[in-house]
Amino acid sequence: MNWASPLFICSGAVGASFLVLSAIVMRRPPKEINDFYGHRTARSKRDQASWDFAQVYSNRVMMWMGAWNILLGVIGLFLPFSAIGGVIVSMAFMLLTLVHLYRSTERALKERFGE
């Protein structure tokens, strides 16, 4: 086991950050539409019902994405990656999870509230 694995450190940190941010939003969800805090897209800011749905939905997805990033970090303990290779894989996976978070929330908003 390589505790200094960059894949473990980077993916673990990203996953932990996602979980912490998700816990914060769960405890203090944004009540009103704003440009500072929460899932802020044109579709989510269309009306209060869309906004409330987007906050709950994206928060659940963010929790899962955090767990998947942590799992990748744990897998990184057992895989031999170079320092730069581990960072690249970790950042690529983080980018994919962020894209998934955005796209799945927007898709759910579209299905629930239409265009």
Side-chain angles (χ1 to χ4, degrees):
M1 240 189 286
N2 181 10
W3 293 101
S5 165
L7 188 57
F8 170 71
I9 294 169
C10 293
S11 289
V14 167
S17 298
F18 278 19
L19 291 177
V20 167
L21 289 171
S22 182
I24 290 169
V25 173
M26 257 200 299
R27 287 182 92 33
R28 296 186 159 256
K31 305 258 187 271
E32 297 175 1
I33 299 170
N34 66 74
D35 289 324
F36 175 68
Y37 178 42
H39 183 86
R40 303 171 312 274
T41 62
R43 188 171 275 138
S44 69
K45 292 172 21 175
R46 187 173 295 159
D47 57 42
Q48 192 64 44
S50 297
W51 177 258
D52 293 339
F53 175 80
Q55 304 320 306
V56 172
Y57 188 90
S58 67
N59 193 43
R60 286 186 190 143
V61 175
M62 183 182 268
M63 288 179 71
W64 279 105
M65 294 302 99
W68 280 108
N69 273 280
I70 289 173
L71 178 63
L72 178 65
V74 170
I75 291 169
L77 287 172
F78 303 100
L79 298 176
F81 273 98
S82 66
I84 193 71
V87 170
I88 289 171
V89 169
S90 178
M91 293 301 111
F93 192 73
M94 178 194 66
L95 181 62
L96 288 174
T97 58
L98 288 171
V99 168
H100 175 70
L101 172 64
Y102 171 79
R103 292 189 72 200
S104 65
T105 303
E106 291 300 300
R107 187 175 336 120
L109 281 165
K110 186 177 179 181
E111 288 172 6
R112 176 115 181 208
F113 299 100
E115 288 294 325

PDB file of all heavy atoms in Angstrom, residues 9-25 59 62-63 65-67 69-70 91 94 98:
ATOM      1  N   ILE A   9      -4.126  10.593  -2.655  1.00  0.00           N
ATOM      2  CA  ILE A   9      -4.183  11.910  -2.020  1.00  0.00           C
ATOM      3  C   ILE A   9      -5.136  12.843  -2.769  1.00  0.00           C
ATOM      4  O   ILE A   9      -6.028  13.455  -2.175  1.00  0.00           O
ATOM      5  CB  ILE A   9      -2.771  12.526  -1.914  1.00  0.00           C
ATOM      6  CG1 ILE A   9      -1.920  11.682  -0.941  1.00  0.00           C
ATOM      7  CG2 ILE A   9      -2.840  13.979  -1.462  1.00  0.00           C
ATOM      8  CD1 ILE A   9      -0.444  12.016  -0.952  1.00  0.00           C
ATOM      9  N   CYS A  10      -4.976  12.938  -4.087  1.00  0.00           N
ATOM     10  CA  CYS A  10      -5.804  13.874  -4.866  1.00  0.00           C
ATOM     11  C   CYS A  10      -7.264  13.444  -4.906  1.00  0.00           C
ATOM     12  O   CYS A  10      -8.159  14.247  -4.628  1.00  0.00           O
ATOM     13  CB  CYS A  10      -5.259  14.006  -6.287  1.00  0.00           C
ATOM     14  SG  CYS A  10      -3.652  14.801  -6.384  1.00  0.00           S
ATOM     15  N   SER A  11      -7.520  12.192  -5.257  1.00  0.00           N
ATOM     16  CA  SER A  11      -8.908  11.739  -5.334  1.00  0.00           C
ATOM     17  C   SER A  11      -9.563  11.718  -3.963  1.00  0.00           C
ATOM     18  O   SER A  11     -10.745  12.037  -3.827  1.00  0.00           O
ATOM     19  CB  SER A  11      -8.990  10.349  -5.970  1.00  0.00           C
ATOM     20  OG  SER A  11      -8.706  10.426  -7.334  1.00  0.00           O
ATOM     21  N   GLY A  12      -8.805  11.350  -2.953  1.00  0.00           N
ATOM     22  CA  GLY A  12      -9.349  11.380  -1.596  1.00  0.00           C
ATOM     23  C   GLY A  12      -9.708  12.785  -1.158  1.00  0.00           C
ATOM     24  O   GLY A  12     -10.761  13.016  -0.557  1.00  0.00           O
ATOM     25  N   ALA A  13      -8.851  13.745  -1.480  1.00  0.00           N
ATOM     26  CA  ALA A  13      -9.125  15.136  -1.116  1.00  0.00           C
ATOM     27  C   ALA A  13     -10.334  15.682  -1.873  1.00  0.00           C
ATOM     28  O   ALA A  13     -11.180  16.370  -1.295  1.00  0.00           O
ATOM     29  CB  ALA A  13      -7.892  16.002  -1.376  1.00  0.00           C
ATOM     30  N   VAL A  14     -10.425  15.365  -3.154  1.00  0.00           N
ATOM     31  CA  VAL A  14     -11.569  15.813  -3.952  1.00  0.00           C
ATOM     32  C   VAL A  14     -12.850  15.192  -3.411  1.00  0.00           C
ATOM     33  O   VAL A  14     -13.859  15.868  -3.209  1.00  0.00           O
ATOM     34  CB  VAL A  14     -11.375  15.479  -5.445  1.00  0.00           C
ATOM     35  CG1 VAL A  14     -12.670  15.643  -6.226  1.00  0.00           C
ATOM     36  CG2 VAL A  14     -10.285  16.348  -6.045  1.00  0.00           C
ATOM     37  N   GLY A  15     -12.818  13.880  -3.170  1.00  0.00           N
ATOM     38  CA  GLY A  15     -13.994  13.194  -2.652  1.00  0.00           C
ATOM     39  C   GLY A  15     -14.417  13.725  -1.293  1.00  0.00           C
ATOM     40  O   GLY A  15     -15.608  13.955  -1.052  1.00  0.00           O
ATOM     41  N   ALA A  16     -13.458  13.948  -0.413  1.00  0.00           N
ATOM     42  CA  ALA A  16     -13.774  14.495   0.905  1.00  0.00           C
ATOM     43  C   ALA A  16     -14.350  15.905   0.774  1.00  0.00           C
ATOM     44  O   ALA A  16     -15.300  16.263   1.482  1.00  0.00           O
ATOM     45  CB  ALA A  16     -12.523  14.500   1.787  1.00  0.00           C
ATOM     46  N   SER A  17     -13.802  16.701  -0.138  1.00  0.00           N
ATOM     47  CA  SER A  17     -14.328  18.055  -0.364  1.00  0.00           C
ATOM     48  C   SER A  17     -15.772  18.002  -0.852  1.00  0.00           C
ATOM     49  O   SER A  17     -16.618  18.773  -0.392  1.00  0.00           O
ATOM     50  CB  SER A  17     -13.484  18.800  -1.395  1.00  0.00           C
ATOM     51  OG  SER A  17     -12.171  18.951  -0.946  1.00  0.00           O
ATOM     52  N   PHE A  18     -16.053  17.100  -1.791  1.00  0.00           N
ATOM     53  CA  PHE A  18     -17.424  16.948  -2.275  1.00  0.00           C
ATOM     54  C   PHE A  18     -18.362  16.584  -1.131  1.00  0.00           C
ATOM     55  O   PHE A  18     -19.462  17.130  -1.019  1.00  0.00           O
ATOM     56  CB  PHE A  18     -17.494  15.863  -3.347  1.00  0.00           C
ATOM     57  CG  PHE A  18     -17.111  16.302  -4.733  1.00  0.00           C
ATOM     58  CD1 PHE A  18     -16.371  17.440  -4.967  1.00  0.00           C
ATOM     59  CD2 PHE A  18     -17.485  15.541  -5.823  1.00  0.00           C
ATOM     60  CE1 PHE A  18     -16.028  17.824  -6.242  1.00  0.00           C
ATOM     61  CE2 PHE A  18     -17.150  15.910  -7.113  1.00  0.00           C
ATOM     62  CZ  PHE A  18     -16.414  17.060  -7.326  1.00  0.00           C
ATOM     63  N   LEU A  19     -17.933  15.646  -0.280  1.00  0.00           N
ATOM     64  CA  LEU A  19     -18.794  15.220   0.829  1.00  0.00           C
ATOM     65  C   LEU A  19     -19.011  16.347   1.836  1.00  0.00           C
ATOM     66  O   LEU A  19     -20.126  16.531   2.338  1.00  0.00           O
ATOM     67  CB  LEU A  19     -18.213  13.987   1.514  1.00  0.00           C
ATOM     68  CG  LEU A  19     -18.241  12.701   0.693  1.00  0.00           C
ATOM     69  CD1 LEU A  19     -17.559  11.566   1.446  1.00  0.00           C
ATOM     70  CD2 LEU A  19     -19.658  12.314   0.319  1.00  0.00           C
ATOM     71  N   VAL A  20     -17.971  17.110   2.128  1.00  0.00           N
ATOM     72  CA  VAL A  20     -18.104  18.225   3.072  1.00  0.00           C
ATOM     73  C   VAL A  20     -19.027  19.301   2.488  1.00  0.00           C
ATOM     74  O   VAL A  20     -19.937  19.795   3.177  1.00  0.00           O
ATOM     75  CB  VAL A  20     -16.718  18.815   3.429  1.00  0.00           C
ATOM     76  CG1 VAL A  20     -16.839  20.152   4.139  1.00  0.00           C
ATOM     77  CG2 VAL A  20     -15.939  17.831   4.293  1.00  0.00           C
ATOM     78  N   LEU A  21     -18.813  19.664   1.235  1.00  0.00           N
ATOM     79  CA  LEU A  21     -19.679  20.662   0.609  1.00  0.00           C
ATOM     80  C   LEU A  21     -21.123  20.186   0.548  1.00  0.00           C
ATOM     81  O   LEU A  21     -22.057  20.955   0.790  1.00  0.00           O
ATOM     82  CB  LEU A  21     -19.183  20.997  -0.792  1.00  0.00           C
ATOM     83  CG  LEU A  21     -17.884  21.793  -0.859  1.00  0.00           C
ATOM     84  CD1 LEU A  21     -17.390  21.876  -2.293  1.00  0.00           C
ATOM     85  CD2 LEU A  21     -18.071  23.175  -0.272  1.00  0.00           C
ATOM     86  N   SER A  22     -21.300  18.921   0.256  1.00  0.00           N
ATOM     87  CA  SER A  22     -22.646  18.358   0.210  1.00  0.00           C
ATOM     88  C   SER A  22     -23.303  18.410   1.589  1.00  0.00           C
ATOM     89  O   SER A  22     -24.494  18.734   1.711  1.00  0.00           O
ATOM     90  CB  SER A  22     -22.572  16.921  -0.296  1.00  0.00           C
ATOM     91  OG  SER A  22     -23.851  16.373  -0.399  1.00  0.00           O
ATOM     92  N   ALA A  23     -22.547  18.110   2.630  1.00  0.00           N
ATOM     93  CA  ALA A  23     -23.089  18.170   3.996  1.00  0.00           C
ATOM     94  C   ALA A  23     -23.473  19.599   4.361  1.00  0.00           C
ATOM     95  O   ALA A  23     -24.512  19.829   4.999  1.00  0.00           O
ATOM     96  CB  ALA A  23     -22.071  17.615   4.985  1.00  0.00           C
ATOM     97  N   ILE A  24     -22.665  20.559   3.954  1.00  0.00           N
ATOM     98  CA  ILE A  24     -22.976  21.969   4.235  1.00  0.00           C
ATOM     99  C   ILE A  24     -24.269  22.375   3.534  1.00  0.00           C
ATOM    100  O   ILE A  24     -25.154  22.987   4.137  1.00  0.00           O
ATOM    101  CB  ILE A  24     -21.799  22.878   3.801  1.00  0.00           C
ATOM    102  CG1 ILE A  24     -20.602  22.669   4.725  1.00  0.00           C
ATOM    103  CG2 ILE A  24     -22.232  24.346   3.776  1.00  0.00           C
ATOM    104  CD1 ILE A  24     -19.324  23.314   4.236  1.00  0.00           C
ATOM    105  N   VAL A  25     -24.391  22.011   2.251  1.00  0.00           N
ATOM    106  CA  VAL A  25     -25.598  22.386   1.504  1.00  0.00           C
ATOM    107  C   VAL A  25     -26.822  21.655   2.055  1.00  0.00           C
ATOM    108  O   VAL A  25     -27.920  22.192   2.064  1.00  0.00           O
ATOM    109  CB  VAL A  25     -25.413  22.125  -0.008  1.00  0.00           C
ATOM    110  CG1 VAL A  25     -26.696  22.349  -0.775  1.00  0.00           C
ATOM    111  CG2 VAL A  25     -24.314  23.021  -0.556  1.00  0.00           C
ATOM    112  N   ASN A  59     -27.312  17.920  -4.851  1.00  0.00           N
ATOM    113  CA  ASN A  59     -26.642  17.572  -3.613  1.00  0.00           C
ATOM    114  C   ASN A  59     -26.501  16.057  -3.469  1.00  0.00           C
ATOM    115  O   ASN A  59     -25.460  15.556  -3.059  1.00  0.00           O
ATOM    116  CB  ASN A  59     -27.410  18.165  -2.427  1.00  0.00           C
ATOM    117  CG  ASN A  59     -26.615  18.109  -1.170  1.00  0.00           C
ATOM    118  OD1 ASN A  59     -25.429  18.399  -1.166  1.00  0.00           O
ATOM    119  ND2 ASN A  59     -27.254  17.716  -0.091  1.00  0.00           N
ATOM    120  N   MET A  62     -23.862  14.955  -5.853  1.00  0.00           N
ATOM    121  CA  MET A  62     -22.540  15.350  -5.362  1.00  0.00           C
ATOM    122  C   MET A  62     -22.035  14.391  -4.280  1.00  0.00           C
ATOM    123  O   MET A  62     -20.851  14.051  -4.235  1.00  0.00           O
ATOM    124  CB  MET A  62     -22.555  16.778  -4.815  1.00  0.00           C
ATOM    125  CG  MET A  62     -21.183  17.247  -4.369  1.00  0.00           C
ATOM    126  SD  MET A  62     -21.212  18.886  -3.667  1.00  0.00           S
ATOM    127  CE  MET A  62     -20.870  19.825  -5.120  1.00  0.00           C
ATOM    128  N   MET A  63     -22.947  13.925  -3.441  1.00  0.00           N
ATOM    129  CA  MET A  63     -22.537  12.957  -2.420  1.00  0.00           C
ATOM    130  C   MET A  63     -22.020  11.675  -3.069  1.00  0.00           C
ATOM    131  O   MET A  63     -20.978  11.137  -2.667  1.00  0.00           O
ATOM    132  CB  MET A  63     -23.709  12.640  -1.490  1.00  0.00           C
ATOM    133  CG  MET A  63     -24.049  13.765  -0.552  1.00  0.00           C
ATOM    134  SD  MET A  63     -25.446  13.378   0.489  1.00  0.00           S
ATOM    135  CE  MET A  63     -24.721  12.153   1.556  1.00  0.00           C
ATOM    136  N   MET A  65     -20.796  11.368  -6.101  1.00  0.00           N
ATOM    137  CA  MET A  65     -19.552  11.651  -6.804  1.00  0.00           C
ATOM    138  C   MET A  65     -18.381  11.736  -5.819  1.00  0.00           C
ATOM    139  O   MET A  65     -17.268  11.319  -6.120  1.00  0.00           O
ATOM    140  CB  MET A  65     -19.662  12.933  -7.625  1.00  0.00           C
ATOM    141  CG  MET A  65     -20.655  12.853  -8.791  1.00  0.00           C
ATOM    142  SD  MET A  65     -20.316  11.543  -9.981  1.00  0.00           S
ATOM    143  CE  MET A  65     -21.450  10.260  -9.442  1.00  0.00           C
ATOM    144  N   GLY A  66     -18.637  12.273  -4.640  1.00  0.00           N
ATOM    145  CA  GLY A  66     -17.611  12.285  -3.603  1.00  0.00           C
ATOM    146  C   GLY A  66     -17.210  10.880  -3.196  1.00  0.00           C
ATOM    147  O   GLY A  66     -16.024  10.571  -3.056  1.00  0.00           O
ATOM    148  N   ALA A  67     -18.200  10.008  -3.034  1.00  0.00           N
ATOM    149  CA  ALA A  67     -17.913   8.621  -2.665  1.00  0.00           C
ATOM    150  C   ALA A  67     -17.116   7.917  -3.763  1.00  0.00           C
ATOM    151  O   ALA A  67     -16.165   7.176  -3.469  1.00  0.00           O
ATOM    152  CB  ALA A  67     -19.215   7.882  -2.386  1.00  0.00           C
ATOM    153  N   ASN A  69     -15.083   9.335  -5.921  1.00  0.00           N
ATOM    154  CA  ASN A  69     -13.716   9.867  -5.897  1.00  0.00           C
ATOM    155  C   ASN A  69     -12.912   9.244  -4.766  1.00  0.00           C
ATOM    156  O   ASN A  69     -11.736   8.923  -4.942  1.00  0.00           O
ATOM    157  CB  ASN A  69     -13.736  11.394  -5.775  1.00  0.00           C
ATOM    158  CG  ASN A  69     -13.826  12.078  -7.110  1.00  0.00           C
ATOM    159  OD1 ASN A  69     -12.837  12.212  -7.798  1.00  0.00           O
ATOM    160  ND2 ASN A  69     -15.028  12.500  -7.487  1.00  0.00           N
ATOM    161  N   ILE A  70     -13.533   9.073  -3.616  1.00  0.00           N
ATOM    162  CA  ILE A  70     -12.826   8.429  -2.501  1.00  0.00           C
ATOM    163  C   ILE A  70     -12.496   6.990  -2.853  1.00  0.00           C
ATOM    164  O   ILE A  70     -11.387   6.506  -2.565  1.00  0.00           O
ATOM    165  CB  ILE A  70     -13.654   8.540  -1.203  1.00  0.00           C
ATOM    166  CG1 ILE A  70     -13.643   9.996  -0.717  1.00  0.00           C
ATOM    167  CG2 ILE A  70     -13.122   7.597  -0.131  1.00  0.00           C
ATOM    168  CD1 ILE A  70     -14.551  10.286   0.452  1.00  0.00           C
ATOM    169  N   MET A  91      -7.405  14.173 -11.605  1.00  0.00           N
ATOM    170  CA  MET A  91      -8.042  15.389 -12.098  1.00  0.00           C
ATOM    171  C   MET A  91      -9.011  15.083 -13.247  1.00  0.00           C
ATOM    172  O   MET A  91     -10.068  15.705 -13.353  1.00  0.00           O
ATOM    173  CB  MET A  91      -6.991  16.411 -12.541  1.00  0.00           C
ATOM    174  CG  MET A  91      -6.147  16.963 -11.388  1.00  0.00           C
ATOM    175  SD  MET A  91      -7.121  17.794 -10.120  1.00  0.00           S
ATOM    176  CE  MET A  91      -6.950  16.665  -8.759  1.00  0.00           C
ATOM    177  N   MET A  94     -12.070  13.738 -11.609  1.00  0.00           N
ATOM    178  CA  MET A  94     -12.796  14.832 -10.976  1.00  0.00           C
ATOM    179  C   MET A  94     -13.574  15.624 -12.012  1.00  0.00           C
ATOM    180  O   MET A  94     -14.743  15.959 -11.808  1.00  0.00           O
ATOM    181  CB  MET A  94     -11.850  15.776 -10.232  1.00  0.00           C
ATOM    182  CG  MET A  94     -12.571  16.952  -9.592  1.00  0.00           C
ATOM    183  SD  MET A  94     -11.501  18.276  -9.043  1.00  0.00           S
ATOM    184  CE  MET A  94     -10.865  18.883 -10.577  1.00  0.00           C
ATOM    185  N   LEU A  98     -17.649  16.132 -12.197  1.00  0.00           N
ATOM    186  CA  LEU A  98     -18.289  17.452 -12.248  1.00  0.00           C
ATOM    187  C   LEU A  98     -19.203  17.581 -13.459  1.00  0.00           C
ATOM    188  O   LEU A  98     -20.308  18.123 -13.356  1.00  0.00           O
ATOM    189  CB  LEU A  98     -17.237  18.562 -12.255  1.00  0.00           C
ATOM    190  CG  LEU A  98     -16.509  18.785 -10.936  1.00  0.00           C
ATOM    191  CD1 LEU A  98     -15.352  19.755 -11.140  1.00  0.00           C
ATOM    192  CD2 LEU A  98     -17.450  19.276  -9.870  1.00  0.00           C
TER     193      LEU A  98
END
